[in-house]
Amino acid sequence: MSQVICTTVDEDLSFNLFSRARYLILVRDGVIIHREINPALSSVSKRPMVASRCVELGADVVIAPHGSLCFPSYQILRKAGVGIYAINVGERLNVDLTRASKHVDLGEVIYSSFLAVKERIMEAVFHEQ
């Protein structure tokens, strides 16, 4: 049986951060088999919410747009045994996602974690104004 891939995309099917994308989707054999409004858009724990939802939906693989895998998200996916790959934000969904993506390394997790902290600070600053 083919793998179920979970990722986040915008209306034009371009990849966007877990914390910003419009949709969370599941893909099997190049076909979108599930699409929902990204639960991170209404959650305080944005990136981990997406990771948890992908696990909940039974994903075998997660394609995380660059900057999406903060440490808690990474831990959720690793603990569940989900394969994790990264892809550039803005790339378009195509049939062979695993060929267009790369395995996640520690640098990706560190960068994503810093980006998540920066986003939280910016939200707090602009929320107070």
Side-chain angles (χ1 to χ4, degrees):
M1 182 162 217
S2 60
Q3 292 185 325
V4 174
I5 299 169
C6 185
T7 192
T8 54
V9 297
D10 285 327
E11 290 83 2
D12 64 353
L13 298 181
S14 62
F15 293 96
N16 201 348
L17 292 172
F18 281 2
S19 59
R20 298 181 191 160
R22 177 81 174 134
Y23 300 106
L24 180 145
I25 61 170
L26 295 179
V27 178
R28 180 186 291 140
D29 296 326
V31 176
I32 297 173
I33 59 170
H34 176 81
R35 181 177 84 168
E36 64 186 51
I37 298 296
N38 183 355
L41 298 176
S42 60
S43 173
V44 173
S45 60
K46 297 181 180 304
R47 289 166 174 80
M49 172 58 76
V50 170
S52 295
R53 185 66 178 139
C54 287
V55 170
E56 210 174 274
L57 291 169
D60 301 302
V61 173
V62 167
I63 305 291
H66 180 56
S68 293
L69 276 175
C70 64
F71 187 73
S73 300
Y74 178 76
Q75 286 295 96
I76 290 166
L77 296 171
R78 292 294 296 177
K79 184 178 179 183
V82 174
I84 311 167
Y85 296 86
I87 197 161
N88 291 327
V89 170
E91 295 224 16
R92 299 289 301 257
L93 182 68
N94 65 30
V95 189
D96 193 358
L97 292 176
T98 54
R99 296 189 89 201
S101 57
K102 62 179 179 154
H103 277 284
V104 170
D105 59 16
L106 183 58
E108 176 66 27
V109 176
I110 291 170
Y111 170 77
S112 298
S113 296
F114 280 121
L115 186 59
V117 169
K118 177 185 169 202
E119 284 180 2
R120 289 252 177 137
I121 291 170
M122 296 304 287
E123 285 174 9
V125 167
F126 287 112
H127 188 274
E128 288 180 7
Q129 294 179 355

